[in-house]
Structures are given as structure tokens and as C-alpha cells.
């Protein structure tokens, strides 16, 4: 009983106390903005209805939301049939304010050449991988474009990429596919980074290139 | 001899100076290499992370926001407004949806301005930040309504150099989105219910995860604040978690998370690695106490829209660090056995 009493009373009182967030007016936003190094009165908008906007008091000057991508063009060079090409770039996310964040991915259309011929998104070796479901893509006789997400800093890649050679399709906006989450994570002091791999493999019957499309990454905090 | 000593000392000092200088340079280079650098092709940021409006008829709303180009190259950003709804994870993360006809007509009331001039595209020099102003005009006789949308800043196409036009290529765009929650004519009705409040009935030790899901039955947004108090078997309050103000959209539910520190994200990560359902692990309030024993009571108290009315509920859980107890028992048994053997040995001799 003495042992129980000792353990039971040996806690830190209020072990995990967090500061309550209050509301403040937008005037104070200028003071705590992460980008504000010195007052710029000419750029400071005059609030029309101060009491209508609320932001969190807990925001600090160093807090911010940031997306960094190492390359804005991914070149595949000349396409050789049944010779898979893999290209990578890194993506870093900083989310110091919101409880959570998502990084979404989508493409405007499949890779298309000037004649309108296109390289479809891969369906992986078993023909079943989609935007939502990853699948193994190891065969050189499986064609198309796919991606995989590999964690560098953190563990924020969405599920499905645990095994090597697992890939997903990029959601195709031209087919009314919605962008899907590529990374999801919590508020944290350190940047989260991933390695983004694009894999492209074409068949002998594929028209010659060049093929192009646009892949968009959208970083959004939770509300 | 003195001269020689002096020379020796001088030589040693010079040598030491060199060593110190080299060490200093190595330290500086190591320090600088350990710093995170973001010399990326695309590197953009936005602030604040969300904007909350609570509007009345005929209001002229305004809120400042800023975008910055953190990269070493100029960037052109296009501005768009995109509606969203809460994602299926029900934790405040969002899914973009196609703008409705109604929202498209409401867009005429929304304007992003740079020093009073409406902007749809922005050219930012390297490292440049731009202060903007979001302005929304509310009609004189609007229906009570919520609009949830994001201001999306998207980089524009970088044209490849001539030689690379022959290459098959993917153009990569980057976007940052600032969510805006706009409620018009909110009656602040308190149709809030605690849909789920639970934890594991038995735990071996902490941290202890709690699941708290709150439902907002009203048509418009509600803001919830609250505390989670934990008491031990002696009635002592041994833990208090103050929950951050959380917005719950109309006719929806939301899991409430506490402001998770990196200590707890490590904990979540560890579990998430071995789980197929990462989201369900994230949707927790984490109580970080590690040493636990006996019965505990956890009481949640929620306040809606800063009113004095509290919604409370209490759950109980029991902590038993059985691995420690088994270890202790084995230790005691071993000690008794050893004592008996020693005693017998001493008696024989």
C-alpha cells in the first residue's frame, strides 16, 4: 500500500499544461508576422473591421508555413522502350503553426506529345495500383508513369510505400480526379523532407517524344 | 637557455594558434553544414496559416496576409480561390472540392489587393516577401451561410532552355494555401455533443492517448475550447491538458488534438510505423505522463463559442506496469534465494 501511495503521489502536478489560445485583433498580426523584419507602413493595410478577424495569440515571429521543391523541371531524356527511367527530387515542408498539414499532388493530364499521343499512368505489375492504392512495379514489361514517396526527415509519406518498388498513380485532373494527399503530418519544429521518385517506362509501340505535363504540389495547413 | 625557452614558448603558442584557428574553422564549417538550407528551385511560404471571419450583413471585411519567395530565383505566383471541405480523417485537414455555382458568384465579393490594387498574379524577386490584403464585401441582406475556401498561391511554369525542349519532361508547380473560414450571420447556437471520448481501459505506462470527437449539429461553424483533467485514486489532480481553440464546421464532427510537442510526435511516429492506420493514431490527445499505477479518472470540460456553458464527461482507466512488477517479484525471489543459500553456506562453515 505504501508502494502504491508513493507511486500515486509522485507525479508532476499539471504535467502537460498548454497555454490557452486567445483571440487578438488583426492589428497585432503585423507584430508577430514571420516575414516582418521592420515596419512597412506603406504596405500595412488598414483593417476595416478589426473585430471580425481572429488569429491565434500563440503565433510567434519565427512561425511559418513553407514548401520547398528542389527542381521545377524533371527531365527524362530520350525514352528507350522497356528501359525504366527513374528521376527524383526532394520536397521539404515546414509547418510550425497548424495542428496538421497535407501536401497534395495532381497532374493536369498524362504525359502527352505534340501529336496528342500520351503515356498512361501505370497500373503496376498486378494491374491494380491507382491514385489511392500502391502496387509493386518491378517488371520492365509494365509501362506508364508512377511515383513513390520515400521519407528523408520524418515519417510523413502517406501509407503504401513501405515496400520497395511500390508505386501509385498521380491523380489526373483531366479525368476529374481530385488531388490526393502525398504527405500528412503534425505541427513540428523541424522540417519534414521526402524523396519523390518518378518512374517512367514505355513500350516499343510508344510514339517518340517529347512528352510533357504539369505536376502540382499544394501545401495546406489544417483549419 | 632562456632564449631557447622563449623560442620554444613562441613556437608552441604559434602552433597552438594554428590549431585553434583550424579547429575554429572546422567547427564553423560543421555548424554551417548542419544548418538547414533551402536553396531550392521552388521555396514559397504564406502567413497566417488560417483566417477566421465572423461577419454580419453589410460588413467590409479585411485581413492582411503575406507571401514570401524563399528561393534564390524570382518566381511568379498565380492567385486562386478554392473551396474545401473537411477530409474524411475528421481532424481539420482539408480536401479541395470544385467551386460551387454559388461560391463562384460570391467570388465577385472577394478581392486580394496589393496596396489597394487587385492582384491575380504576383512576381516575387529572390527572398522577397509581399504584404497583401484580403477584402470581402458582405451583402446587405445575406442568408446565414458559411464559406470555407483557401487562397492558393501557385508558382507558374518555368520554360525549359532550348536544348531541353526535345526532352520528355514534367513541369513541377508548387502551391501554398491559406484556409479561410467565413461565417455570415452566425447565430452561435450551441448544438454541440461529445460524440466520442475514450482511452484504453488498461495501460502499462504513459503516454496515454485519448480520443475526443465533437459533433456540431448546427448549420454553421462553432469554436470549442476546453480542458482535460486527470485525477489519481486519491482524487489529486495530476494532469491538465488545455485544448487549443478548435473550429468545427457546420453539420460535421471533428477529432480534437492537443498542441503536440515533438516528444509526442516521436511517440506517435513509433506506433504509426507498425500500423496501417496512421490517421487514427494522429487523432489523439496525448497525456505525456509516463509513470502510472492504479485507477485514474479523466474528465473533459468543453466550452462552445466562449460561452460559460460547459459540456463535461468522465472516463476511467487503470494503469498497471506489470513488466516492472514482474521484474520486482523476480528480483525479490532471487534475493531471498540468494540469502538462503548464503545463510546455509555460513551455517555449514
Amino acid at each position: 500500500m505504501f508502494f502504491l501511495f508513493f507511486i500515486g503521489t509522485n507525479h508532476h502536478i499539471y504535467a502537460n499544461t498548454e497555454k490557452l489560445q486567445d483571440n487578438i485583433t488583426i492589428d497585432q498580426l503585423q507584430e508577430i508576422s514571420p516575414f516582418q523584419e521592420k515596419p512597412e507602413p506603406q504596405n500595412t493595410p488598414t483593417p476595416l473591421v478589426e473585430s471580425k478577424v481572429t488569429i491565434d495569440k500563440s503565433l510567434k515571429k519565427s512561425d511559418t508555413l513553407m514548401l520547398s521543391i528542389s527542381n521545377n523541371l524533371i527531365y527524362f531524356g530520350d525514352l528507350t522502350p522497356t528501359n525504366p527511367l527513374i528521376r527524383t527530387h526532394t520536397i521539404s515542408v515546414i509547418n510550425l503553426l497548424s495542428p496538421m498539414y497535407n501536401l497534395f499532388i495532381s497532374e493536369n493530364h498524362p504525359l502527352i506529345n505534340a501529336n496528342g499521343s500520351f503515356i498512361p499512368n501505370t497500373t503496376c505489375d498486378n494491374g491494380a495500383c491507382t491514385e489511392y492504392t500502391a502496387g509493386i512495379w518491378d517488371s520492365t514489361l509494365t509501362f506508364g508513369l508512377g511515383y513513390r514517396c520515400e521519407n528523408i526527415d520524418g515519417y510523413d509519406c502517406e501509407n503504401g510505400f513501405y515496400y520497395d518498388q511500390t508505386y501509385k498513380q498521380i491523380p489526373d485532373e483531366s479525368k476529374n480526379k481530385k488531388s490526393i494527399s502525398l504527405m500528412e503530418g503534425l505541427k513540428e519544429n523541424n522540417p519534414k523532407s521526402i524523396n519523390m521518385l518518378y518512374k517512367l517506362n514505355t513500350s516499343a509501340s510508344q510514339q517518340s517524344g517529347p512528352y510533357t505535363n504539369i505536376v502540382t504540389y499544394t501545401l495546406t495547413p489544417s483549419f | 637557455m632562456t632564449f631557447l625557452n622563449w623560442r620554444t614558448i613562441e613556437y608552441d603558442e604559434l602552433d597552438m594558434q594554428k590549431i585553434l584557428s583550424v579547429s575554429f574553422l572546422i567547427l564553423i564549417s560543421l555548424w554551417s553544414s548542419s544548418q538547414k538550407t533551402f536553396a531550392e528551385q521552388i521555396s514559397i511560404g504564406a502567413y497566417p496559416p488560417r483566417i477566421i471571419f465572423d461577419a454580419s450583413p453589410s460588413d467590409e471585411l479585411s485581413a492582411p496576409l503575406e507571401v514570401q519567395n524563399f528561393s534564390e530565383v524570382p518566381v511568379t505566383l498565380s492567385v486562386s480561390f478554392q473551396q474545401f471541405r473537411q477530409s474524411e480523417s475528421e481532424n481539420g485537414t482539408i480536401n479541395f472540392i470544385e467551386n460551387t455555382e454559388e461560391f463562384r458568384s460570391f467570388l465577385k465579393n472577394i478581392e486580394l489587393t496589393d496596396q489597394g490594387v487587385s492582384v491575380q498574379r504576383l512576381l516575387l524577386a529572390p527572398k522577397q516577401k509581399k504584404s497583401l490584403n484580403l477584402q470581402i464585401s458582405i451583402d446587405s441582406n445575406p442568408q446565414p451561410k458559411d464559406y470555407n475556401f483557401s487562397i492558393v498561391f501557385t508558382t507558374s511554369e518555368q520554360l525549359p532552355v532550348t536544348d531541353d525542349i526535345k526532352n520528355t519532361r514534367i513541369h513541377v508547380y508548387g502551391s501554398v494555401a491559406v484556409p479561410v473560414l467565413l461565417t455570415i450571420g452566425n447565430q452561435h447556437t450551441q448544438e454541440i455533443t461529445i460524440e466520442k471520448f475514450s482511452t484504453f481501459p488498461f495501460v502499462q505506462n504513459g503516454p496515454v492517448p485519448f480520443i475526443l470527437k465533437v459533433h456540431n449539429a448546427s448549420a454553421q461553424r462553432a469554436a470549442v475550447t476546453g480542458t482535460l483533467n486527470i485525477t489519481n485514486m486519491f482524487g489529486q489532480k495530476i494532469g491538465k491538458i488545455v485544448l487549443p481553440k478548435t473550429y468545427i464546421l457546420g453539420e460535421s464532427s471533428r477529432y480534437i488534438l492537443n498542441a503536440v510537442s515533438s516528444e509526442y510526435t516521436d511517440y506517435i511516429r513509433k506506433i504509426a510505423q507498425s500500423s496501417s492506420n496512421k490517421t487514427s493514431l494522429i487523432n489523439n490527445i496525448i497525456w505525456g505522463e509516463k509513470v502510472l499505477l492504479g485507477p485514474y479518472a479523466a474528465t473533459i470540460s468543453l466550452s462552445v463559442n466562449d460561452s460559460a456553458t460547459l459540456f463535461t464527461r468522465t472516463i476511467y482507466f487503470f494503469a498497471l506496469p506489470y513488466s516492472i512488477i514482474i521484474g520486482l517479484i523476480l528480483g525479490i525471489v532471487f534475493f531471498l534465494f540468494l540469502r538462503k543459500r548464503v545463510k546455509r553456506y555460513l551455517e555449514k562453515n
Side-chain angles (χ1 to χ4, degrees):
Chain A
M1 192 60 202
F2 172 78
F3 178 69
L4 290 177
F5 180 81
F6 174 77
I7 295 289
T9 56
N10 199 27
H11 291 292
H12 302 290
I13 304 297
Y14 302 130
N16 184 25
T17 304
E18 297 287 348
K19 191 176 179 301
L20 184 65
Q21 296 175 344
D22 301 323
N23 295 327
I24 56 174
T25 64
I26 54 172
D27 276 344
Q28 289 162 277
L29 179 66
Q30 297 302 321
E31 294 169 18
I32 58 178
S33 158
F35 311 134
Q36 195 80 25
E37 286 152 8
K38 57 185 179 182
E40 293 184 43
Q42 72 277 16
N43 286 343
T44 306
T46 306
L48 302 176
V49 187
E50 290 180 21
S51 62
K52 299 298 180 186
V53 182
T54 59
I55 58 171
D56 294 336
K57 198 176 182 176
S58 60
L59 306 190
K60 298 185 188 80
K61 205 163 189 171
S62 58
D63 295 336
T64 189
L65 172 79
M66 191 165 114
L67 169 67
S68 296
I69 304 172
S70 61
N71 299 86
N72 54 18
L73 276 166
I74 307 294
Y75 292 113
F76 288 96
D78 292 330
L79 305 180
T80 313
T82 67
N83 179 31
L85 299 169
I86 291 179
R87 299 289 181 266
T88 65
H89 64 159
T90 56
I91 299 176
S92 297
V93 168
I94 292 180
N95 170 45
L96 302 183
L97 281 177
S98 298
M100 297 190 70
Y101 80 90
N102 284 95
L103 183 70
F104 291 96
I105 181 174
S106 64
E107 64 181 3
N108 61 337
H109 53 65
L111 285 165
I112 290 180
N113 70 2
N115 300 326
S117 177
F118 65 91
I119 302 172
N121 288 318
T122 185
T123 53
C124 303
D125 290 351
N126 63 358
C129 75
T130 65
E131 310 88 63
Y132 303 102
T133 312
I136 301 281
W137 181 9
D138 200 21
S139 168
T140 55
L141 296 177
T142 303
F143 307 113
L145 173 71
Y147 78 90
R148 66 177 269 111
C149 180
E150 294 181 344
N151 289 305
I152 300 174
D153 296 317
Y155 300 86
D156 289 357
C157 280
E158 289 286 1
N159 293 332
F161 300 106
Y162 182 78
Y163 297 105
D164 288 344
Q165 308 301 331
T166 49
Y167 288 83
K168 283 184 183 176
Q169 294 181 356
I170 303 172
D172 180 359
E173 290 171 1
S174 69
K175 292 180 180 169
N176 289 324
K177 302 274 180 76
K178 293 293 166 200
S179 59
I180 63 155
S181 180
L182 170 71
M183 292 172 73
E184 181 178 68
L186 294 158
K187 176 170 73 176
E188 204 171 342
N189 293 332
N190 301 314
K192 307 291 187 67
S193 298
I194 61 157
N195 208 16
M196 185 71 182
L197 277 80
Y198 302 91
K199 184 173 179 179
L200 179 62
N201 191 23
T202 52
S203 66
S205 62
Q206 188 76 46
Q207 271 190 21
S208 60
Y211 293 82
T212 63
N213 73 353
I214 298 168
V215 170
T216 304
Y217 296 93
T218 304
L219 173 64
T220 176
S222 61
F223 54 85
Chain B
M1 191 66 188
T2 311
F3 175 75
L4 279 175
N5 277 342
W6 181 81
R7 290 292 299 174
T8 309
I9 289 165
E10 188 186 43
Y11 178 79
D12 285 347
E13 279 179 350
L14 282 172
D15 210 31
M16 188 57 73
Q17 277 180 352
K18 278 182 184 173
I19 290 167
L20 283 171
S21 304
V22 169
S23 303
F24 181 72
L25 284 171
I26 289 170
L27 279 172
I28 288 290
S29 63
L30 282 173
W31 176 81
S32 60
S33 66
S34 69
Q35 302 299 301
K36 294 282 179 190
T37 54
F38 291 96
E40 312 286 353
Q41 286 284 336
I42 297 172
S43 192
I44 50 174
Y47 178 88
R50 68 182 180 194
I51 298 172
I52 313 294
F53 284 117
D54 200 346
S56 302
S58 305
D59 273 350
E60 294 292 330
L61 305 171
S62 174
L65 73 154
E66 291 170 344
V67 286
Q68 183 163 4
N69 174 18
F70 292 97
S71 75
E72 305 287 349
V73 292
V75 68
T76 303
L77 298 175
S78 63
V79 181
S80 61
F81 299 95
Q82 188 69 47
Q83 274 187 291
F84 66 81
R85 58 175 168 73
Q86 184 175 231
S87 74
E88 292 77 12
S89 303
E90 297 184 307
N91 52 19
T93 53
I94 70 175
N95 277 346
F96 291 108
I97 57 171
E98 200 162 323
N99 287 346
T100 62
E101 198 63 45
E102 186 188 10
F103 180 70
R104 268 181 253 155
S105 68
F106 183 73
L107 274 174
K108 69 179 189 304
N109 299 353
I110 303 174
E111 202 173 32
L112 196 67
T113 61
D114 176 14
Q115 298 183 52
V117 179
S118 180
V119 288
Q120 275 90 43
R121 287 177 82 82
L122 297 161
L123 176 61
L124 297 182
K127 306 290 180 189
Q128 188 189 356
K129 75 164 187 290
K130 178 74 84 175
S131 298
L132 302 165
N133 202 26
L134 175 67
Q135 292 181 303
I136 304 176
S137 304
I138 308 297
D139 296 336
S140 56
N141 191 21
Q143 293 293 312
K145 175 82 184 165
D146 281 8
Y147 292 102
N148 306 311
F149 61 95
S150 285
I151 310 164
V152 185
F153 298 94
T154 307
T155 59
S156 295
E157 188 167 358
Q158 302 286 313
L159 294 174
V161 291
T162 315
D163 290 348
D164 291 322
I165 287 175
K166 295 171 188 170
N167 268 316
T168 289
R169 63 193 182 273
I170 293 174
H171 296 258
V172 177
Y173 288 9
S175 297
V176 287
V178 177
V180 179
L181 303 184
L182 166 63
T183 185
I184 302 169
N186 197 333
Q187 304 299 310
H188 295 298
T189 52
Q190 296 181 356
E191 297 177 53
I192 292 290
T193 50
I194 297 173
E195 193 175 319
K196 188 174 188 182
F197 179 45
S198 64
T199 186
F200 297 114
F202 293 98
V203 294
Q204 198 187 163
N205 48 36
V208 181
F210 295 92
I211 295 172
L212 174 62
K213 191 178 182 185
V214 178
H215 181 69
N216 174 19
S218 68
Q220 292 188 283
R221 186 190 72 219
V224 172
T225 52
T227 53
L228 175 63
N229 292 307
I230 294 123
T231 52
N232 65 10
M233 66 181 114
F234 306 105
Q236 292 171 305
K237 194 187 326 183
I238 56 163
K240 181 183 179 184
I241 300 168
V242 179
L243 304 174
K245 182 179 244 182
T246 305
Y247 294 96
I248 305 169
L249 303 185
E251 295 171 345
S252 71
S253 299
R254 181 170 176 178
Y255 289 98
I256 294 179
L257 291 64
N258 57 338
V260 186
S261 73
S262 57
E263 182 188 0
Y264 306 137
T265 52
D266 286 344
Y267 162 73
I268 291 167
R269 279 172 182 172
K270 278 177 195 166
I271 311 175
Q273 284 300 291
S274 58
S275 171
S276 59
N277 194 351
K278 185 169 125 183
T279 305
S280 68
L281 293 162
I282 288 173
N283 291 345
N284 285 324
I285 297 167
I286 306 291
W287 180 44
E289 190 59 54
K290 285 172 184 160
V291 182
L292 301 170
L293 185 66
Y296 293 86
T299 303
I300 188 79
S301 304
L302 293 179
S303 164
V304 184
N305 298 326
D306 299 323
S307 72
T309 312
L310 287 178
F311 298 81
T312 61
R313 191 180 291 182
T314 301
I315 57 170
Y316 302 91
F317 64 96
F318 192 87
L320 186 69
Y322 51 82
S323 57
I324 294 173
I325 290 173
I326 290 170
L328 275 173
I329 291 169
L330 287 176
I332 290 166
V333 168
F334 180 71
F335 173 75
L336 291 173
F337 172 75
L338 204 66
R339 199 177 73 160
K340 197 174 175 183
R341 289 295 298 265
V342 170
K343 204 173 173 183
R344 194 178 291 170
Y345 175 79
L346 289 174
E347 279 171 4
K348 279 184 181 175
N349 297 302

